[in-house]
């Protein structure tokens, strides 16, 4: 990929081979209700599947704190009101056999009624359509004939997988978002071309890879985690450069704290996502978020200090922003403790008001608790750190991983402020502020180093022992579809890698475990090996002795992940300079450190250069972020400008 020489010489787009875009258009539409007006057509007798939400809708995606308060639970605003749901008489059984013929007259009537109601999109989900696509495909053709101006999404094309509610929700959400995303991307592509971009526009998806604009329009639900995915992709890329294969990704922003996991060099992937309480069958990087970030609001309830999940957001923001906010936040606490320089926020582009921060913490926290403002600020930071480290434990220990085998990549605007404490609490091998000052924009790096990716999937229930012939034939069909998707984005077949995954479970269970298969020609020995691997993975997740072969192992779904590596940006190693960091020393200040029980003289450093080393306590004040080096920690800067922190022996 060409290196862009300047951002102000008018050649930014002209120098670029292609343009990667991480979008929040679909996420914002889900949150604000800004998607298309959608109608839904389903099998007669099943119109309530969306509103029932398989009983999980009230609690899906809710935090533990919210679940403890019944008033905080409740189903989301329906994407499709019941008045816009129509039923069509048809029925296919679990083997794909037609039980009730497709009622074409009723289908046309349903489409005309929805079109007259002003829908902009129609979603179609019939029972067992992934076993026999004929009825849904005919339904799509009827929509195109009766209402050609209406966008149509059918479940057998969006996500041909078992689970009626989740498949319906995924199809509806796709129809809800696709018209908006398609219009947005077409306008963006047109503007970029006008401004000089000759190469293609690619869109980041939740799985971590990118896809072309045409595919993004058809797979709109796959962009719902477009932003957070970039950080995990970037961590995988940098981890490979520095030979770190086990990484905990800790992305600390203003509102949320996002955690992803890289194990043996590969990010963990989940086969379903929860967005606005809807459970979607959308493969995505396994990223878990909580309401903990720089804007998390601190409060006192019955004499106890709480932090988050409520956020002050960007407007009015923390009290120190001076924009009308009066609630104390984690950022206010960092300012009061002296960690954030109020005159050098965002490299000096914005000034903060320390007096407002102190007033908010004193009035709302310190006074009610009868403690000093400084102690209250330290308590806010400590509780925020505990919330974050607790999520990191759940992502590692509860999934069978020892955090002591991992390094922590702390990034996002506030990642370096909290990463040192998080890694120390977990006992991680090392805490890394990736690429130093770039840590605050680390997710953007993930866009520029992403592969093109597509996922094809289907459900075919079967009990072990599995037929090598059937498994091979099913994977060949999925691989052909994946090849077609990537070739549509301009990729040559020889540049495409196809990875196979089986979703397996013990018979009678609900949740399945992803088990990869080798790309070789399948035989009975390979499939038996996959079953052994499944049981190993099962015990890694749920503990030794938890497997139960006598229950029987059931194949639920097949998945193919197709990737194509495009020419990408590279990072060059710098020569290591002298270890003395004296040239970066800005001065010293007396700052409060909770672990020392009071204030101590603390070195303040500016940007560090490769080769430099120093000991904590220290504050690293960089143009776009601030990093903390706690007492008992030491720092070295490697050849890629990564700031690497370890506990001193």
């Amino acid at each position: 990929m060409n290196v862009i020489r300047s951002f102000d010489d008018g050649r930014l787009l002209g120098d670029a081979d292609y343009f990667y875009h991480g979008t929040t258009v679909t996420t914002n539409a889900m949150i604000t209700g800004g998607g298309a007006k959608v109608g839904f057509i389903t099998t007669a007798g099943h119109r309530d599947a969306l509103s029932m939400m398989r009983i999980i809708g009230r609690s899906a995606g809710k935090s533990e704190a919210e679940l403890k308060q019944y008033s905080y639970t409740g189903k989301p605003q329906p994407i499709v009101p019941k008045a816009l749901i129509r039923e069509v008489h048809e029925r296919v059984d679990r083997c794909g056999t037609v039980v009730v013929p497709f009622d074409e007259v009723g289908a046309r009537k349903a489409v005309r009624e929805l079109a007259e109601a002003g829908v902009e999109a129609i979603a179609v989900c019939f029972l067992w359509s992934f076993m026999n696509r004929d009825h849904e495909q005919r339904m799509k053709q009827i929509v195109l004939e009766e209402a050609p101006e209406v966008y149509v999404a059918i479940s057998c094309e969006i996500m041909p997988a078992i689970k009626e509610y989740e498949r319906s929700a995924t199809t509806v959400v796709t129809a809800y978002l696709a018209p908006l995303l398609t219009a947005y991307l077409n306008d963006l592509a047109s503007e970029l071309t006008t401004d000089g971009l000759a190469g293609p526009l690619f869109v980041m998806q939740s799985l971590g890879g990118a896809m072309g604009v045409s595919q993004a329009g058809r797979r709109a639900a796959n962009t719902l985690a477009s932003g957070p995915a970039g950080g995990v992709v970037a961590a995988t890329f940098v981890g490979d450069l520095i030979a770190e294969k086990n990484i905990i990704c800790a992305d600390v922003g203003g509102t949320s704290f996002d955690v992803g996991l890289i194990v043996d060099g590969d990010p963990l992937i989940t086969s379903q996502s929860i967005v606005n309480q809807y459970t979607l069958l959308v493969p995505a990087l396994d990223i878990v978020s909580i309401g903990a970030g720089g804007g998390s609001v601190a409060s006192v309830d019955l004499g106890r200090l709480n932090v988050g999940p409520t956020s002050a957001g960007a407007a009015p923001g923390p009290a120190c922003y001076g924009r009308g906010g009066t609630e104390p936040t984690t950022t206010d606490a960092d300012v009061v403790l002296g960690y954030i320089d109020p005159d050098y926020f965002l490299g000096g582009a914005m000034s903060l008001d320390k007096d407002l921060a102190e007033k908010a913490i004193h009035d709302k926290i310190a006074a009610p608790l009868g403690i000093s403002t400084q102690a209250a600020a330290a308590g806010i930071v400590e509780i925020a750190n505990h919330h974050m480290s607790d999520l990191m434990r759940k992502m590692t220990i509860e999934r069978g991983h020892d955090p002591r085998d991992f390094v922590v990549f702390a990034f996002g605007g506030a990642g370096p402020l909290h990463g040192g404490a998080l890694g120390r609490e977990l006992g991680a091998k090392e805490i890394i502020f990736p690429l130093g000052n770039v840590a605050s924009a680390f997710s953007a790096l993930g866009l520029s180093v992403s592969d093109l990716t597509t996922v094809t999937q289907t459900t075919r229930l079967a009990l072990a022992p599995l037929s090598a012939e059937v498994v091979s034939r099913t994977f060949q069909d999925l691989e052909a579809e994946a090849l077609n998707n990537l070739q549509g984005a301009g990729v040559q077949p020889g540049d495409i890698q196809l990875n196979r995954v089986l979703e397996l479970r013990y018979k009678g269970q609900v949740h399945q475990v992803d088990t990869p298969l080798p790309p070789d020609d399948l035989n009975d020995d390979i499939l038996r090996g996959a079953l052994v691997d499944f049981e190993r993975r099962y015990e890694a997740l749920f503990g030794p002795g938890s497997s139960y072969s006598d229950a029987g192992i059931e194949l639920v779904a097949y998945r193919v992940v197709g990737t194509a590596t495009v020419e990408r940006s590279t990072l060059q190693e710098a020569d290591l300079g002298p270890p003395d960091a004296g040239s970066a020393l800005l001065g010293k200040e007396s700052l409060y450190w909770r672990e020392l029980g009071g204030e101590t003289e603390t070195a303040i450093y500016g940007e560090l250069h490769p080769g430099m080393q120093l000991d904590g306590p220290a504050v690293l004040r960089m143009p776009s972020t601030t990093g903390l080096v706690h007492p008992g920690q030491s720092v070295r800067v490697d050849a890629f400008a990564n700031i690497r922190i370890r506990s001193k022996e």
Side-chain angles (χ1 to χ4, degrees):
M1 181 178 182
N2 291 336
V3 176
I4 297 171
R5 292 180 292 275
S6 171
F7 288 93
D8 57 8
D9 66 358
R11 294 181 295 175
L12 172 63
L13 294 175
D15 281 355
D17 294 329
Y18 36 81
F19 193 102
Y20 277 97
H21 181 46
T23 179
T24 58
V25 167
T26 51
T27 305
N28 292 340
M30 285 293 291
I31 293 172
T32 64
K37 185 176 182 179
V38 180
F40 180 51
I41 297 176
T42 189
T43 303
H46 290 261
R47 63 174 296 180
D48 292 325
L50 275 178
S51 58
M52 291 171 64
M53 303 182 78
R54 208 159 55 79
I55 314 300
I56 62 177
R58 296 187 67 92
S59 59
K62 293 289 187 180
S63 68
E64 291 182 15
E66 291 170 320
L67 291 175
K68 291 176 182 177
Q69 301 265 355
Y70 184 78
S71 60
Y72 289 175
T73 65
K75 294 180 181 179
Q77 191 70 20
I79 292 177
V80 185
K82 286 190 177 182
L84 295 180
I85 298 177
R86 294 294 183 273
E87 298 174 303
V88 170
H89 287 281
E90 68 82 38
R91 190 64 182 264
V92 171
D93 68 14
R94 66 189 298 272
C95 298
T97 303
V98 175
V99 178
V100 177
F102 180 68
D103 179 8
E104 186 157 329
V105 173
R108 291 185 182 277
K109 179 174 181 290
V111 174
R112 287 195 294 267
E113 289 177 351
L114 291 175
E116 290 170 3
V119 301
E120 301 165 284
I122 291 177
V124 181
C125 185
F126 292 150
L127 287 182
W128 297 100
S129 59
F130 53 90
M131 296 298 298
N132 184 334
R133 301 186 175 201
D134 291 350
H135 291 178
E136 280 196 357
Q137 289 174 333
R138 181 57 187 150
M139 187 75 243
K140 179 179 180 178
Q141 185 60 40
I142 289 173
V143 174
L144 294 175
E145 293 170 0
E146 297 286 344
E149 73 287 353
V150 173
Y151 178 88
V152 58
I154 60 177
S155 73
C156 65
E157 293 179 351
I158 301 300
M159 184 48 65
I162 198 168
K163 295 185 179 180
E164 178 192 1
Y165 158 63
E166 288 85 347
R167 184 161 46 91
S168 298
T170 305
T171 309
V172 165
V173 168
T174 298
Y176 182 67
L177 300 174
L180 175 70
L181 181 62
T182 299
Y184 167 77
L185 290 177
N186 287 341
D187 288 346
L188 177 61
S190 177
E191 290 182 19
L192 291 173
T193 300
T194 300
D195 290 341
L197 179 67
L201 167 64
F202 295 127
V203 182
M204 190 71 166
Q205 54 184 319
S206 305
L207 186 61
M211 55 184 167
V213 171
S214 60
Q215 189 180 2
R218 299 192 303 271
R219 305 279 182 180
N222 291 49
T223 66
L224 284 165
S226 179
V232 178
V233 174
T236 306
F237 173 70
V238 174
D240 184 59
L241 292 178
I242 62 175
E244 293 290 352
K245 293 186 175 296
N246 294 327
I247 302 169
I248 303 170
C249 303
D251 185 352
V252 188
T255 300
S256 67
F257 174 58
D258 307 317
V259 178
L261 218 58
I262 299 167
V263 179
D264 294 332
D266 295 317
L268 295 189
I269 294 173
T270 178
S271 59
Q272 65 182 34
S273 310
I274 297 175
V275 180
N276 199 25
Q277 294 178 248
Y278 285 93
T279 303
L280 310 179
L281 295 176
V282 176
L285 295 180
D286 194 357
I287 299 171
V288 179
S289 304
I290 59 171
S296 293
V297 173
S299 61
V300 175
D301 182 22
L302 299 177
R304 298 179 61 184
L305 174 59
N306 298 314
V307 181
T310 305
S311 174
C320 61
Y321 279 15
R323 296 175 177 171
T326 59
E327 299 299 324
T329 67
T330 306
T331 296
D332 291 308
D334 286 324
V335 170
V336 167
L337 294 170
Y339 301 150
I340 294 177
D341 183 351
D343 297 322
Y344 194 63
F345 192 65
L346 299 178
M350 177 179 176
S351 295
L352 304 180
D353 192 323
K354 184 176 181 179
D355 291 339
L356 289 177
E358 288 179 335
K359 176 175 172 52
I361 292 177
H362 174 270
D363 293 351
K364 300 292 181 70
I365 307 297
L369 293 177
I371 59 178
S372 70
T373 300
Q374 191 177 62
I380 292 171
V381 171
E382 189 78 5
I383 290 175
N385 287 340
H386 279 308
H387 287 326
M388 297 181 205
S389 60
D390 185 54
L391 177 60
M392 294 164 75
R393 286 191 193 92
K394 291 179 179 178
M395 287 289 286
T396 51
I397 295 172
E398 292 185 10
R399 300 184 183 205
H401 304 292
D402 188 339
R404 294 173 296 183
D405 297 331
F406 287 72
V407 298
V408 173
F409 272 35
F411 53 91
L417 267 172
H418 298 272
L422 302 180
R424 180 189 59 189
E425 198 159 315
L426 287 173
K429 293 194 304 181
E430 197 170 44
I431 304 104
I432 298 176
F433 306 158
L435 309 186
N437 186 52
V438 178
S440 60
F442 193 57
S443 292
L445 173 66
L447 301 181
S448 68
V449 298
S450 290
D451 296 327
L452 298 185
T453 304
T454 189
V455 178
T456 54
Q457 182 170 324
T458 193
T459 291
R460 292 290 186 272
L461 297 176
L463 273 176
L466 305 174
S467 165
E469 180 183 353
V470 172
V471 173
S472 294
R473 186 170 61 248
T474 305
F475 271 123
Q476 287 167 5
D477 292 341
L478 293 176
E479 288 169 344
E481 184 181 350
L483 285 168
N484 184 63
N485 290 342
L486 290 172
Q487 288 177 258
V491 178
Q492 297 302 312
D495 297 329
I496 297 173
Q497 178 181 343
L498 301 173
N499 294 308
R500 300 169 169 180
V501 177
L502 291 175
E503 293 185 15
L504 302 172
R505 68 187 180 191
Y506 287 116
K507 184 172 175 57
Q509 291 193 327
V510 174
H511 302 291
Q512 48 264 15
V513 175
D514 287 356
T515 306
L517 275 182
D520 316 305
D521 291 337
L522 294 178
N523 55 45
D524 291 340
D525 287 339
I526 290 176
L527 289 178
R528 280 193 291 268
L531 300 180
V532 173
D533 187 31
F534 157 74
E535 298 202 277
R536 180 187 63 80
R537 291 171 179 270
Y538 190 95
E539 292 204 355
L541 284 170
F542 303 110
S546 59
S547 61
Y548 185 49
S549 302
D550 290 346
I553 298 175
E554 186 175 32
L555 166 61
V556 178
Y558 300 76
R559 187 189 316 140
V560 169
V561 180
T563 59
T565 301
V566 296
E567 188 180 358
R568 58 171 62 171
S569 301
T570 57
L571 297 177
Q572 299 297 324
E573 290 185 81
D575 294 330
L576 296 179
D580 183 15
S583 61
L585 183 65
L586 302 177
K588 295 186 177 182
E589 298 176 12
S590 182
L591 299 182
Y592 182 90
W593 295 92
R594 188 177 181 88
E595 52 263 69
L596 298 179
E599 294 187 357
T600 191
E601 187 175 65
T602 302
I604 312 297
Y605 292 90
E607 284 197 77
L608 303 177
H609 301 292
M612 287 184 172
Q613 299 179 16
L614 59 95
D615 291 331
V619 177
L620 314 179
R621 288 183 180 152
M622 297 168 278
S624 65
T625 189
T626 298
L628 296 187
V629 185
H630 288 257
Q633 293 180 332
S634 62
V635 169
R636 68 181 178 92
V637 185
D638 70 15
F640 293 103
N642 296 304
I643 296 171
R644 310 180 70 158
I645 301 174
R646 286 180 176 265
S647 295
K648 288 189 288 188
E649 299 298 335

